[in-house]
Each structure stands twice: as C-alpha cells, then as structure tokens.
Amino acid sequence: MPKNDVLPTPTSRVTPTRSLWLLGPALVAGVAYLDPGNVASNMTAGAQYGYLLVWIVVVGNVMAWLIQYLSAKLGVVTGQSLPQVLGARIRRPWARRAYWLQAELVAMATDLAEVIGGAVALNLLFDVPLLLGGVITGAVSMILLAVQSRRGPRPFEFVIIGLMAIITVGFVAGLFIAPPDPSGVVGGLAPRFEDTGSVLLAASILGATIMPHAIYAHSSLARDRFGSAAEHAPTEAARTETSRIRRLLSATRWDVSIAMLIAGSVNLSILLLAAANLAGVEGTDSLEGAHAALAAGLGPVVATFFAVGLLASGLASTSVGAYAGAEIMHGLLRVRIPLLARRLVTLIPALVILGVGVDPTLALVLSQVVLSFGIPFALIPLVALTAQRRTLGAWANRTWTTAAGVIASVLLIALNGALLWLVLTGA
C-alpha cells in the first residue's frame, strides 16, 4: 500500500463540483440521524427543559461527523463493511453470535422507532389507526428496499435524498414563523444537566444522533457504491489506486460534511422549535400533543409541515434501518436472508407495540436509550480497526484522529454509565 503522505497529483485533487457524482452514501446514512426517534427525543427535550440540552445536540453532531467518516473510510479502503470485518476477526462462533445478538437488538430498536414514527404521522395527517399506519409504513419501506435491490444504490440514494429534503423543510419551517430566543440558544451551549430526566433525554438524543446501525450501514453503503480499493498491485497500478482512494476519501469528507450539516441543523431546529414554543405547555411530552400545540400556537400549516416531515422521516429511515440489519446479519453470521423477507419479520415488534396500545412517544424515547447503549459495541471496534495499519495500511488513522475517536467513545460510555447509575439508584 502507498504512503499516506504522498503529495496529491493534479488528477487526485477533488473540487466540490467534481465530487458531486461521488456524493450519496453519507446522505443515505445521514437519514438515520433524522428518524422519528430523533424527533421524539429532541422535541421532548425542548418541551421539558427548554434550551438546556442544546449542547448535547451540537456535541453529538460533531462526534457523528468523525464516526461516519471513519465508517465510510473503512468501506472505501477495505471494500468490506464493518460487520464483515468483525465477522472475519471474531474467531469464536459463540462470540460472533453474541455480538450479532446485541447488534440485532439495536437494529430492532431502530426499526421500532421508525415504524412507530411513520404510523403516528399517518394518524396525524389522515387519522389512520396506528396499527394500520405501521403496516402502511412497512409496506412503503419494502417498496423502497425493492428499488435498492433491483436498481442498485444510485436510484435508492436519489429517493432517500428526496425524502431528506422533505424532512428538512417539514421540521425547519416552524422556526421562520416563531424563531428561538438567541440568548437562550447561547446559554444552552454550556454543558450541564438538571436532573435524572435530563440525563435520560441526553442519552436518548445521543442514541438517536450517533446511531449504531448508521455506523454499520455507512461502511456497507460505501462498499456497495465504490467497490474494493484494497487490492495489492504492481507499482504503476498501485499509484493509480492511491489516487483513486485519495479521490474517494476527499469526496467522502464532503459527503459526510453535507449530511451532518443537514442532520445537525434539523435536529437542532426540532429542539429549538419545542423550546421556543412548547416549553411548559401541557401535553407536549408526546408527538400527538406537540402536533396539537404547534397547531394551536403557530397554526395548522406549521403543524402539517411537522407531520409531513415526521412521515418522510419514518419512511426513509426504516428503509435504511432494514438495509443495515441485513448487512449486520450477513457480515457477522454469514447468512443472507432476502431483504424483503427480513423486512416482514422485523416489522412484527413494532406492530405488536402499536397493537397493544403502548404510548408511541414513550416507546420512541426508550428505543433511543437502547441505541445509546449499543453505541460502544459499534464505535470501539470502528476506532480500533481504522487505527490499524494491518487493516487500512497507509490509510490508517492519524494519531489525533484515533485520539478524537477514543475521547468520543469515553464520553458516550461515561454518559451511559451515569444514566444507568441514576436510574438504578433512583437519584
């Protein structure tokens, strides 16, 4: 493999214009940061604690940039997804199955949030019963997955990016009508908590912002789009491959930056919308209540935009979540179940919860806490693998990149530990 400090040649330089055709994988993975769990967590945080947790959204998005770039880099350089690499490295079958089980539970928690969110949105927009709304959300996600399976990654990316545009408009529109208090936003940048509930919501926001299945999926999306770049070749071919990898990684940085800018802005907008307009309002601890409060305070147009954004969020993110779950199973267990068949099976838990009448918003928030506890299992191996020269060769992380990944891992694990302690002790 070539040295990482080789000066780029003119052909390896990538301008934003030349990078456009390479964009897409991060934008698809970024939909995971805009799923209904994000909406529930950020909306609840803003309504209950005002601007208190603005800093969590900002810090989470900064960490998400690094994490998604490392995941994409692994896929670009090795031509394998993170689950594939781990499946080859974890030698003992019982250990591989145990790792798959926790990853599968995380994927199920993700799917739960996304299907419930789509069902709630259909209920708000068209008064569709929640259970039927869950079935419709699942059916639409199967159509989107069929596009990915039969047409390839590029058409799938176009559909998901279109839904991302709808999500952005739906959740940001309200801020133009009722902007937040600038001093409150600035005050919310100071790191602090208020009580156990604020720690719970912080873990929920991070679980929704830095999603384990997005870490698994992004490496797979990059692999599917760009193929393997890890071939050992004669000198001239190696130089060509060096240029190719450098070009892809440069484009990937643009891709991740755009995706995280969109995701971070939308998540912050949701929290600020709730903090500015729903703080202290009765019933805003649920998506239905928040929708009703927005309609009463800002008018039916803003409330409709919110519901449309929530629907697009559920439809897009559940498709990406199912894709990630299939890759987790294939990479770790070396078993490939048809994507549409898997989609049918993973719909069951969400439909059961909708059928028995569990509060949808509570289920969404708690699902994000489950995701938060799954983060270390995806993040620590990702940082370790991308730091190894035997895995990425000359493209292994620089020292500061690995240090930043370690710091992010420590912070996330510490927050989860504090949450567990507070909940168990009833503090």
Side-chain angles (χ1 to χ4, degrees):
M1 293 286 283
K3 298 290 185 184
N4 206 12
D5 55 359
V6 173
L7 293 175
T9 63
T11 58
S12 69
R13 298 181 192 278
V14 179
T15 64
T17 301
R18 290 180 63 193
S19 296
L20 284 177
W21 74 276
L22 296 173
L23 302 182
L27 292 169
V28 174
V31 165
Y33 295 83
L34 298 173
D35 82 335
N38 290 82
V39 181
S41 297
N42 288 306
M43 186 67 70
T44 303
Q48 292 187 3
Y49 294 97
Y51 301 101
L52 178 71
L53 298 178
V54 165
W55 68 277
I56 284 288
V57 177
V58 174
V59 170
N61 204 63
V62 171
M63 290 192 291
W65 186 98
L66 173 64
I67 292 164
Q68 292 307 130
Y69 173 69
L70 293 181
S71 177
K73 182 169 76 167
L74 182 71
V76 167
V77 177
T78 67
Q80 294 183 304
S81 67
L82 177 59
Q84 282 180 300
V85 176
L86 290 174
R89 294 289 181 89
I90 302 175
R91 300 294 186 184
R92 298 182 181 276
W94 66 266
R96 193 166 59 249
R97 293 190 192 102
Y99 188 93
W100 165 79
L101 181 60
Q102 65 78 28
E104 192 67 40
L105 290 174
V106 164
M108 290 176 65
T110 301
D111 206 46
L112 175 71
E114 292 155 353
V115 174
I116 289 177
V120 170
L122 288 170
N123 178 261
L124 295 175
L125 287 169
F126 308 112
D127 202 27
V128 175
L130 288 176
L131 181 58
L132 178 58
V135 172
I136 294 173
T137 301
V140 174
S141 72
M142 291 179 70
I143 295 173
L144 295 179
L145 290 171
V147 171
Q148 197 275 341
S149 299
R150 297 177 183 178
R151 299 295 183 89
R154 200 56 172 161
F156 182 64
E157 288 172 6
F158 285 140
V159 173
I160 297 299
I161 291 170
L163 289 171
M164 178 182 275
I166 296 173
I167 294 168
T168 302
V169 173
F171 291 135
V172 174
L175 288 182
F176 290 95
I177 297 175
D181 174 29
S183 62
V185 177
V186 173
L189 294 173
R192 66 193 190 280
F193 296 109
E194 188 172 294
D195 52 25
T196 305
S198 63
V199 178
L200 175 66
L201 278 171
S204 182
I205 290 171
L206 286 177
T209 302
I210 304 172
M211 304 187 78
H213 84 280
I215 299 174
Y216 298 122
H218 201 167
S219 57
S220 179
L221 290 163
R223 175 207 62 196
D224 289 349
R225 172 71 97 82
F226 304 125
S228 176
E231 300 172 356
H232 294 275
T235 304
E236 188 62 34
R239 279 197 292 267
T240 302
E241 192 65 14
T242 303
S243 176
R244 176 175 180 266
I245 296 174
R246 184 180 290 111
R247 183 165 59 252
L248 292 177
L249 292 180
S250 179
T252 295
R253 284 189 286 272
W254 280 101
D255 197 18
V256 174
S257 296
I258 294 170
M260 292 300 100
L261 178 63
I262 295 172
S265 299
V266 173
N267 281 320
L268 188 58
S269 296
I270 295 169
L271 188 147
L272 295 180
L273 181 67
N277 301 282
L278 304 182
V281 178
E282 285 291 323
T284 53
D285 55 347
S286 69
L287 289 173
E288 299 90 339
H291 177 266
L294 288 174
L298 301 181
V301 173
V302 172
T304 299
F305 270 112
F306 172 82
V308 170
L310 181 63
L311 178 59
S313 168
L315 295 176
S317 55
T318 193
S319 303
V320 176
Y323 171 89
E327 182 58 37
I328 289 168
M329 176 175 286
H330 173 62
L332 291 168
L333 299 187
R334 297 155 192 170
V335 173
R336 188 176 289 281
I337 296 176
L339 198 53
L340 298 183
R342 179 187 165 84
R343 166 78 283 189
L344 282 173
V345 173
T346 54
L347 271 176
I348 294 173
L351 295 180
V352 168
I353 286 180
L354 289 172
V356 300
V358 175
D359 176 50
T361 303
L362 176 61
L364 281 171
V365 173
L366 291 180
S367 73
Q368 302 313 294
V369 177
V370 173
L371 295 181
S372 184
F373 281 97
I375 290 170
F377 294 98
L379 181 54
I380 292 175
L382 176 68
V383 174
L385 288 169
T386 53
Q388 294 175 353
R389 292 185 68 85
R390 73 185 181 105
T391 303
L392 296 189
W395 305 100
N397 297 341
R398 300 178 188 274
T399 302
W400 71 267
T401 305
T402 299
V406 170
I407 291 171
S409 302
V410 169
L411 288 174
L412 290 166
I413 293 170
L415 179 60
N416 289 332
L419 169 65
L420 184 61
W421 172 259
L422 289 171
V423 171
L424 291 178
T425 59

